[in-house]
Amino acid sequence: MDKPLALKLAPKSLTEVIGQKHLIGENKILSNLVKNKKLFSMILYGKPGIGKTSIANAIINDLGVRYRFLNATINSKKDLDIVIEEAKMYDGIVLIMDEIHRLNKDKQDVLLPSLENGLITLIGMTTSNPYHSINPAIRSRCQLFELKELEIPDLIEGLKRAVNSNELPNIKIDDKTINYIATLADNDLRYAYNLLEIAYYSTNDFKVTLDVIKRINNKPVFFADKDGDAYYDMLSAFQKSIRGSDVDASLHYLARLITLGDLDSIYRRMSVIAYEDIGLANPSIGPKVMAAIEASKLVGLPEARIPLGTIVTEMALSPKSNSAHLALDEALNDIEKGNVGSIPNHIKTNSKDYKYPHDYKNAFVKQQYLPDKLKNRKYYHPKDLGYEAKLKEIYIYLEKKIDGKN
């Protein structure tokens, strides 16, 4: 059976990998490891179709080392035992393991000693966050590398590489159609290749047009140029409409994103807006957004539009405040400039001079918390909006008590 196009075009070397410029390229870490012929255990994590397997295989090809490929879900403890015995025979082996977050305790117990003594060099791959999903004992023995989502220009580069290869003979396709496929692919190069290949073989003259693609995938796409700027403009417009309290515009851009089926981007952007733009003016919005996201994930589309529409309406109509994160930005700016100072002795661990606020009336006692160098520094500037107006009253009251005016 013929291999799919995505496999035929799989990179043989790191130099052929598309995207991931933060890891691959001149003087970048993975390229330097290959250049120096040195490999350490690592975990590659990120969304599907962005190059985890391609990078693992490219590293192996570039280094020319002995390796075995296992899947933590499918392969058994016995399969892992065989790899370890082979590693002993050849004084080391590289193990590429997909879905490493699925590795159960029995397999972990088998793998860890060989990983620790260097008999096995692991290249793990996962779509999950390794800080949450991978056993700390394995994680601590690996370098973690996050793969970034591919952008529209990356997908266009991959599609043009496919068109110019010998894998799709006599294909005829214009740039507009390539751009359309890239936009449909939603950061997934494998999907882009699959769609191109299906379109190619679905014609009788190998001419792939917009109409051919739309007959295969009729999901509407909103884009303006080959760089995909309109996609990011849409996300920007979604956030700015909520920030600007225009509920109708907010729902319009939400509808566009739902039509694309791009729920992950909606979830991420709403989570940011809840704290960046609404913040302390309506602090209950954060948990409400998370509840709406969980409900949307539970029911899926098309019903997901119901909790999403409800929460976006409330977000748009909520009072807005960015005071909390601006205050933190000011504090971070001090840290970056080295403007810190020593922690006061009376609030250091086990200090006998510390005054425990709960021992005092209204759980308040006057004492200095900021370093001497910053004792008069004010980061937080409250606003008279929504719930934060109440916080401002408390803030002013406490300031007066600290200044001895109350």
Side-chain angles (χ1 to χ4, degrees):
M1 189 173 181
D2 197 23
K3 291 181 180 179
L5 181 65
L7 281 181
K8 292 177 181 177
L9 296 175
K12 304 294 190 297
S13 168
L14 280 181
T15 58
E16 298 176 5
V17 172
I18 291 173
Q20 312 311 328
K21 300 295 192 294
H22 62 300
L23 298 174
I24 300 168
E26 186 177 357
N27 207 29
K28 296 299 172 64
I29 184 167
L30 293 184
S31 297
N32 282 345
L33 287 176
V34 167
K35 179 180 177 181
N36 295 322
K37 300 190 181 303
K38 184 67 177 178
L39 186 60
F40 298 91
S41 289
M42 66 180 71
I43 293 171
L44 307 174
Y45 68 101
K47 292 181 72 172
I50 60 176
K52 296 182 293 296
T53 304
S54 293
I55 289 175
N57 286 328
I59 289 173
I60 294 303
N61 287 337
D62 282 337
L63 292 176
V65 294
R66 186 177 298 275
Y67 76 99
R68 288 293 176 263
F69 188 101
L70 295 180
N71 184 298
T73 302
I74 299 171
N75 292 106
S76 65
K77 177 175 170 289
K78 183 179 179 181
D79 296 322
L80 188 54
D81 286 332
I82 292 171
V83 172
I84 292 172
E85 289 304 311
E86 189 173 354
K88 291 176 181 177
M89 185 184 307
Y90 293 102
D91 194 28
I93 202 168
V94 176
L95 172 60
I96 302 175
M97 181 169 286
D98 200 7
E99 297 192 72
I100 192 169
H101 62 284
R102 301 284 189 185
L103 199 66
N104 63 32
K105 189 177 184 304
D106 287 345
K107 296 174 189 174
Q108 290 169 18
D109 291 342
V110 171
L111 176 61
L112 275 170
S114 297
L115 191 59
E116 192 163 36
N117 63 26
L119 192 62
I120 281 184
T121 301
L122 175 68
I123 302 180
M125 299 175 295
T126 177
T127 55
S128 297
N129 186 331
Y131 295 99
H132 300 153
S133 61
I134 292 180
N135 180 291
I138 291 178
R139 195 175 65 228
S140 68
R141 290 163 174 80
C142 299
Q143 296 299 313
L144 306 183
F145 296 118
E146 181 181 8
L147 272 61
K148 307 296 185 182
E149 291 186 14
L150 297 177
E151 298 184 357
I152 298 294
D154 297 321
L155 299 176
I156 290 173
E157 178 187 345
L159 288 165
K160 287 187 174 180
R161 184 180 296 181
V163 169
N164 293 325
S165 71
N166 295 321
E167 303 298 341
L168 302 173
N170 301 316
I171 185 172
K172 295 176 281 293
I173 186 171
D174 59 27
D175 285 344
K176 190 173 183 180
T177 305
I178 290 175
N179 299 345
Y180 186 80
I181 295 172
T183 310
L184 276 177
D186 191 26
N187 312 116
D188 189 333
L189 183 58
R190 183 168 50 228
Y191 179 87
Y193 284 153
N194 290 343
L195 182 54
L196 177 65
E197 186 175 25
I198 291 170
Y200 171 79
Y201 284 109
S202 70
T203 68
N204 58 10
D205 58 358
F206 306 124
K207 186 175 182 179
V208 178
T209 64
L210 279 175
D211 287 340
V212 171
I213 299 298
K214 288 176 181 178
R215 285 199 296 270
I216 298 169
N217 188 324
N218 61 4
K219 180 170 65 175
V221 175
F222 308 95
F223 69 98
D225 55 53
K226 67 180 182 181
D227 295 323
D229 288 343
Y231 172 75
Y232 298 102
D233 288 344
M234 198 188 314
L235 289 170
S236 176
F238 177 56
Q239 179 164 3
K240 288 172 181 172
S241 297
I242 294 175
R243 181 187 295 153
S245 302
D246 188 326
V247 66
D248 297 302
S250 302
L251 292 171
H252 171 78
Y253 293 114
L254 173 65
R256 285 197 185 192
L257 292 165
I258 288 175
T259 301
L260 289 176
D262 190 9
L263 294 182
D264 285 343
S265 291
I266 295 171
Y267 299 155
R268 287 193 297 270
R269 194 56 64 113
M270 288 196 315
S271 298
V272 170
I273 296 167
Y275 295 96
E276 179 183 355
D277 296 310
I278 299 172
L280 292 176
N282 181 8
S284 67
I285 201 69
K288 287 182 178 180
V289 166
M290 292 310 299
I293 290 172
E294 289 304 314
S296 300
K297 288 180 178 179
L298 180 66
V299 300
L301 287 172
E303 287 85 356
R305 76 189 191 285
I306 299 170
L308 290 176
T310 302
I311 194 63
V312 165
T313 299
E314 181 175 357
M315 292 173 78
L317 297 177
S318 287
K320 309 297 191 296
S321 174
N322 63 353
S323 60
H325 82 80
L326 289 182
L328 178 59
D329 287 345
E330 285 192 44
L332 289 169
N333 189 47
D334 272 347
I335 305 302
E336 290 172 3
K337 291 179 177 178
N339 191 21
V340 287
S342 300
I343 296 171
N345 288 329
H346 60 274
I347 60 171
K348 290 181 178 178
T349 306
N350 299 324
S351 171
K352 295 179 180 179
D353 297 322
Y354 172 61
K355 297 175 182 178
Y356 187 55
H358 295 289
D359 290 339
Y360 296 83
K361 184 179 179 181
N362 296 326
F364 175 83
V365 59
K366 185 177 178 179
Q367 66 184 333
Q368 180 181 326
Y369 293 97
L370 278 170
D372 286 342
K373 186 177 180 181
L374 298 168
K375 65 181 181 180
N376 295 318
R377 189 78 162 89
K378 302 294 182 189
Y379 296 116
Y380 177 53
H381 306 286
K383 295 186 177 182
D384 288 308
L385 292 168
Y387 178 79
E388 192 172 12
K390 297 179 181 179
L391 293 181
K392 183 176 181 179
E393 291 177 9
I394 298 170
Y395 181 79
I396 292 172
Y397 169 75
L398 292 173
E399 286 292 288
K400 287 179 179 178
K401 288 181 73 73
I402 291 170
D403 294 338
K405 297 178 181 178
N406 190 357

